[in-house]
Amino acid sequence: TFLKPCFSQEIGAYKTRTSGDFNQTSTWEVWNGSSWNVAIQTPGASKDIYVDRAHTVRLLAPESVKNLFLFAGTGAGQKLNLNGFNLDIHGVLAAFSGNVPGIPRGAWNSQNWIGNSPSSTLTFKGQSRVIVEKASWSAQTTQSRFGVIFDPDSGQELTLLAPFKALSFRIRSGTLHQKNDLSISFSPCFTLSFNTETALYGAGPFGTFTVEAGATYSSECNAHLINRAASGNNPALLFDLQQDATLLLQGQSPRIEAATCILEGTLIFKSSQGPSTFLSSTFPLSSKPIQLRHLSLQGEEDLILPPELILQGNMVQAGQGQFQIASTHLRLSGTENQELRTSSLLLESLTLAKSSGTVTLGSDLSLSKNLTMVQGSIDFQGFNLTLNTSSTGDYHYQGGSWKRLGHLTYFGLPATLTASSSTFPFEDLANGGQRWLQLLGS
């Protein structure tokens, strides 16, 4: 004996009796528990729908369903013509073969299966749940001509257990959780990717992924979270983490392949398998994600930062794991106040170039090579500053100030001291204002 997965229709579920418009009762039949009967009304948000075999359903207005099941057998053709409108889904999106309710199968159809324009969208609404299963979906729908919106209720989480392909993805609220496939040894990622029709959308980077303010994109991936197509190393056009949005990375080597990568929200690293590396990319046309606003490290594992990082917000160690930054040149920029709250700050180099705002430290700052002060203020809160511990770097002062510095230790003094290499911009704690100490000569 063996078990075989299958679907089972609910009483009140709808299936197509012919191709037609969604809002026409003649398009549908309804299951009464023992037989399919002619529909007397059209389906809504609490009803499952099955689009059968060679049938196509067209929307003439925005609509809602519970679970959406699409026939994926030979000769399926286009199943859903969204026609520029949106379809809300309160349950799962799944493909099937055989007679309704059928058995799960991957969404293999490479034709314009769902569509048919950038304004055509599927929106996942409602409570926490899995929205696509591995057995009943796939990324083989290379001509997916629709956008996807994730918009669950506040505080709810939508989970992906299969790859997904579309024209665009947008996380509007709640959390989208992207799983790793742990059923096979090398744990591939259930990647989010984009339409590959070059005749319509060109041969280069294409597809946008947006995480809006208040929403969270959570990923367990150790490889490509997002790309246009892994074959040909083709990246997405844009990954946009908007201000007050969150990207939670739980893999050890996360990669986003996008021609433009905007990180205006908060990046949180929380690996449970061992030390992780910073977000990266490998495709030739992908941008290197080195500029971000807020960075947080949670959990017990360390995070290895890249050779260069541009930070416009806070860097916070929230667990036992530490930032590995001994080979990193950190650039602090922007206009807002910043906090570096870590158990240690052992950097290779630091550049401070802030037009306004103060950087506040939570530990001693030690630099093995260079410190460049362009403009801006550092509040040491009584912690110490150690410069050029390797004696192979330089100190360059152009502007800016140091507040509440404990001790200054300067290694590898140059043979000739200049205004650039030996101007120390202390704040006068007793009287206020700055007291620049400058040493000149040999």
Side-chain angles (χ1 to χ4, degrees):
T1 61
F2 62 93
L3 297 176
K4 188 172 185 179
C6 65
F7 294 123
S8 177
Q9 73 266 25
E10 297 179 350
I11 294 176
Y14 285 71
K15 77 166 184 175
T16 53
R17 59 185 301 193
T18 183
S19 295
D21 295 333
F22 190 102
N23 64 353
Q24 297 298 313
T25 56
S26 58
T27 304
W28 303 103
E29 293 179 327
V30 181
W31 179 252
N32 68 3
S34 59
S35 63
W36 292 99
N37 298 281
V38 175
I40 59 173
Q41 59 185 17
T42 55
S46 63
K47 302 299 183 182
D48 297 347
I49 69 168
Y50 296 82
V51 183
D52 204 2
R53 298 193 178 271
H55 298 163
T56 302
V57 173
R58 182 179 65 167
L59 269 64
L60 296 179
E63 302 285 357
S64 296
V65 298
K66 183 182 176 184
N67 298 309
L68 172 61
F69 299 97
L70 304 175
F71 180 79
T74 301
Q78 186 180 49
K79 308 314 299 168
L80 192 61
N81 181 356
L82 295 171
N83 197 30
F85 295 103
N86 175 75
L87 177 65
D88 284 344
I89 301 175
H90 294 262
V92 302
L93 173 63
F96 70 94
S97 63
N99 296 325
V100 173
I103 60 174
R105 71 164 300 162
W108 59 272
N109 197 325
S110 62
Q111 299 174 349
N112 178 21
W113 207 39
I114 304 173
N116 54 344
S117 66
S119 60
S120 301
T121 53
L122 298 178
T123 299
F124 291 91
K125 308 281 283 187
Q127 301 295 305
S128 295
R129 65 191 186 279
V130 173
I131 56 174
V132 288
E133 295 273 7
K134 179 183 176 182
S136 58
W137 204 254
S138 73
Q140 298 304 311
T141 53
T142 55
Q143 297 184 18
S144 298
R145 299 178 192 170
F146 63 98
V148 177
I149 300 170
F150 305 98
D151 191 19
D153 297 342
S154 177
Q156 301 301 298
E157 181 176 287
L158 304 176
T159 300
L160 294 173
L161 293 181
F164 210 166
K165 213 171 190 74
L167 294 178
S168 64
F169 295 99
R170 178 175 292 270
I171 307 175
R172 187 166 287 165
S173 64
T175 297
L176 176 68
H177 187 58
Q178 181 182 33
K179 298 281 288 184
N180 247 9
D181 187 356
L182 301 178
S183 64
I184 51 181
S185 58
F186 61 93
S187 297
C189 176
F190 292 128
T191 303
L192 290 150
S193 57
F194 298 93
N195 183 297
T196 58
E197 293 178 275
T198 57
L200 288 178
Y201 305 111
F206 173 78
T208 61
F209 192 108
T210 305
V211 188
E212 295 187 4
T216 297
Y217 175 27
S218 170
S219 178
E220 299 178 3
C221 287
N222 286 307
H224 304 300
L225 284 72
I226 295 165
N227 57 51
R228 181 178 185 183
S231 60
N233 293 340
N234 207 347
L237 180 64
L238 171 67
F239 177 81
D240 184 9
L241 183 72
Q242 297 183 349
Q243 194 164 347
D244 297 322
T246 300
L247 174 58
L248 173 59
L249 300 170
Q250 301 177 64
Q252 290 179 268
S253 55
R255 298 202 296 268
I256 288 180
E257 305 293 349
T260 300
C261 189
I262 300 174
L263 303 173
E264 284 293 308
T266 299
L267 264 68
I268 301 175
F269 287 81
K270 191 178 181 181
S271 171
S272 60
Q273 302 299 319
S276 59
T277 57
F278 189 75
L279 185 64
S280 65
S281 64
T282 58
F283 292 179
L285 296 179
S286 296
S287 64
K288 302 300 180 183
I290 62 170
Q291 180 170 320
L292 70 156
R293 176 159 263 105
H294 300 303
L295 175 62
S296 176
L297 177 59
Q298 300 180 0
E300 307 300 313
E301 302 296 341
D302 292 352
L303 172 64
I304 303 169
L305 294 187
E308 181 178 11
L309 194 66
I310 303 171
L311 185 70
Q312 296 178 305
N314 302 327
M315 186 167 76
V316 177
Q317 177 187 329
Q320 295 302 310
Q322 297 187 21
F323 293 104
Q324 297 296 324
I325 50 180
S327 300
T328 298
H329 179 189
L330 181 63
R331 298 177 180 269
L332 302 177
S333 64
T335 60
E336 63 191 70
N337 292 332
Q338 296 178 255
E339 294 186 19
L340 306 185
R341 290 191 276 119
T342 65
S343 59
S344 65
L345 271 173
L346 305 176
L347 281 162
E348 177 188 275
S349 301
L350 177 69
T351 296
L352 181 71
K354 293 180 63 63
S355 57
S356 63
T358 299
V359 176
T360 301
L361 302 187
S363 61
D364 295 339
L365 173 60
S366 179
L367 303 171
S368 63
K369 291 187 178 180
N370 307 320
L371 173 61
T372 302
M373 295 283 298
V374 179
Q375 59 179 339
S377 177
I378 302 178
D379 184 349
F380 287 86
Q381 296 197 110
F383 292 107
N384 303 324
L385 171 62
T386 303
L387 298 180
N388 193 24
T389 58
S390 68
S391 296
T392 61
D394 296 291
Y395 170 57
H396 295 285
Y397 179 79
Q398 299 176 39
S401 62
W402 299 337
K403 299 179 179 180
R404 296 191 287 177
L405 176 61
H407 295 109
L408 168 66
T409 306
Y410 188 172
F411 290 89
L413 289 173
T416 300
L417 299 175
T418 66
S420 173
S421 65
S422 63
T423 296
F424 310 107
F426 300 109
E427 180 188 59
D428 188 329
L429 293 180
N431 302 298
Q434 306 299 322
R435 298 291 181 266
W436 283 266
L437 172 64
Q438 189 175 87
L439 306 176
L440 303 176
S442 60

